[in-house]
Amino acid sequence: MKQAGFIVSLFCFLLTTACSDNDPVVAQVDDSTLTSNEANILMEHLGYDTKDPKDWKIFLDLWTEQEALRLELKNIDPKLAKLSELRAQSFAGELSKYYLQELKINALLDTVISQKELENYYNEHKVEFELQDYLVQALYLKVPKGIKVEKDIKNHYVLKNDKDLGKINSYAKLYAEDFYFDDQQWIYFNDLTKDIPLRGFNRDNIVLNRTKTYFSDDEFTYFVNIIDYKLKNTEPPFEFLVPQIREIILSKRLNQLREKIDQQLIQKTKSKHDIQINL
């Protein structure tokens, strides 16, 4: 995918960029050159690290290879080479339209969403958010099997008193391969237990009984304490959905704004240029 993107970007770039006298050439194929500034722009666009010499080597090898192919096609079949350039120009026009839209959208898009708007969307679309998995508030701890304090962890992870959590936090910092506890946030049960060997256990019972249990495999012991849960096929708590609702509202605003400015942008842009069609 990176190489395909490079080919299109390179054609568009070479058609629209001229070399500066103060910009050193970093690669050349016959009379075709690539300057340092041009290389930096292309590399950043394609996801290369411009501070990494290895990425420079990879990029310049690819640039010279693709440029040699472009020039070879021009020598062997000028008609196909011209077609390639015309297709690149057409793509550059589409890409320019996209960038112009993004500039306009970034200037006009209102990203502030009020609490009232979030709540209204939640209340009007509850059915769309029905849970397909349990939401839980839970403690989860994964520690190497056989550590000296394993028995002590078994006594404290049930969180019978306030001191237990402090003990568990201490053990987690010292021994845990993985640890989760946030009694103010909800998490999908499947996400919580994706690393726990629950085969042969009834997952529904673990949640519905607010189970405090632990499981072991050859390497680790997994401690689970289900503190609270939300049933499947019910609406998640509003607070859990706020980030998702925010993204939905912003996406709707973005699409509406894009539709609004699309034709305006084209007409306004065309009016600034001397356009002639000769048939």
Side-chain angles (χ1 to χ4, degrees):
M1 292 299 293
K2 179 180 281 189
Q3 184 165 339
F6 177 84
I7 296 171
V8 174
S9 299
L10 179 60
F11 275 133
C12 297
F13 192 77
L14 292 175
L15 286 167
T16 57
T17 307
C19 297
S20 167
D21 293 336
N22 299 321
D23 191 8
V25 171
V26 292
Q28 183 168 346
V29 180
D30 296 338
D31 294 331
S32 180
T33 60
L34 181 74
T35 69
S36 177
N37 285 340
E38 292 169 342
N40 270 281
I41 293 171
L42 271 174
M43 286 179 70
E44 289 177 0
H45 169 68
L46 296 170
Y48 289 97
D49 183 357
T50 57
K51 296 180 180 179
D52 187 344
K54 292 182 180 178
D55 271 19
W56 270 93
K57 174 75 165 57
I58 294 171
F59 168 78
L60 292 178
D61 283 345
L62 186 57
W63 183 87
T64 53
E65 174 186 309
Q66 297 298 338
E67 187 62 9
L69 291 169
R70 186 182 73 86
L71 295 174
E72 183 68 8
L73 180 62
K74 189 174 183 179
N75 290 333
I76 293 176
D77 195 325
K79 186 176 180 180
L80 282 177
K82 184 63 176 178
L83 174 60
S84 179
E85 291 180 1
L86 290 173
R87 291 184 65 180
Q89 285 180 328
S90 176
F91 179 80
E94 287 296 318
L95 195 59
S96 297
K97 176 184 175 182
Y98 168 78
Y99 286 137
L100 287 168
Q101 284 179 333
E102 291 303 298
L103 289 171
K104 193 71 173 177
I105 286 170
N106 290 337
L108 296 177
L109 182 63
D110 180 9
T111 58
V112 177
I113 302 174
S114 69
Q115 184 74 6
K116 186 66 175 176
E117 189 172 3
L118 292 168
E119 291 173 356
N120 287 343
Y121 192 93
Y122 172 74
N123 291 327
E124 292 170 5
H125 299 83
K126 283 185 177 181
V127 176
E128 298 175 15
F129 297 113
E130 281 189 359
L131 292 171
Q132 303 302 310
D133 182 25
Y134 295 110
L135 278 181
V136 297
Q137 290 176 330
L139 165 68
Y140 164 57
L141 191 68
K142 173 184 176 182
V143 297
K145 190 175 180 181
I147 61 171
K148 292 181 180 180
V149 296
E150 186 171 335
K151 289 184 178 179
D152 207 22
I153 293 175
K154 291 178 183 177
N155 293 328
H156 292 293
Y157 88 100
V158 293
L159 303 181
K160 288 183 178 179
N161 56 62
D162 294 339
K163 293 181 180 180
D164 286 340
L165 183 57
K167 284 282 189 179
I168 289 298
N169 280 326
S170 297
Y171 291 140
K173 292 175 183 177
L174 291 172
Y175 305 107
E177 290 284 329
D178 197 5
F179 174 69
Y180 174 86
F181 179 73
D182 189 339
D183 60 354
Q184 300 301 312
Q185 297 292 330
W186 296 90
I187 184 173
Y188 285 115
F189 183 64
N190 282 338
D191 289 340
L192 179 75
T193 60
K194 60 186 177 182
D195 195 31
I196 304 177
L198 289 179
R199 292 180 298 275
F201 293 91
N202 189 310
R203 303 172 70 93
D204 293 330
N205 286 343
I206 291 175
V207 174
L208 298 177
N209 293 328
R210 297 185 183 180
T211 302
K212 305 177 193 302
T213 189
Y214 56 90
F215 310 89
S216 293
D217 57 19
D218 293 337
E219 296 184 73
F220 299 100
T221 300
Y222 310 83
F223 297 88
V224 180
N225 181 348
I226 304 299
I227 298 167
D228 199 1
Y229 65 87
K230 297 292 182 183
L231 288 170
K232 297 178 184 178
N233 302 317
T234 60
E235 301 87 17
F238 168 72
E239 294 76 13
F240 178 78
L241 290 173
V242 165
Q244 185 177 345
I245 294 174
R246 189 181 300 278
E247 288 298 318
I248 292 172
I249 293 175
L250 280 178
S251 179
K252 288 179 178 293
R253 288 184 185 178
L254 179 63
N255 290 334
Q256 291 170 355
L257 189 56
R258 194 181 298 279
E259 290 177 7
K260 180 179 179 181
I261 69 173
D262 188 46
Q263 287 303 315
Q264 294 177 351
L265 174 66
I266 293 173
Q267 294 302 321
K268 188 174 182 179
T269 302
K270 289 173 68 175
S271 69
K272 293 180 179 179
H273 298 271
D274 181 16
I275 297 175
Q276 299 182 28
I277 298 176
N278 302 315
L279 293 177

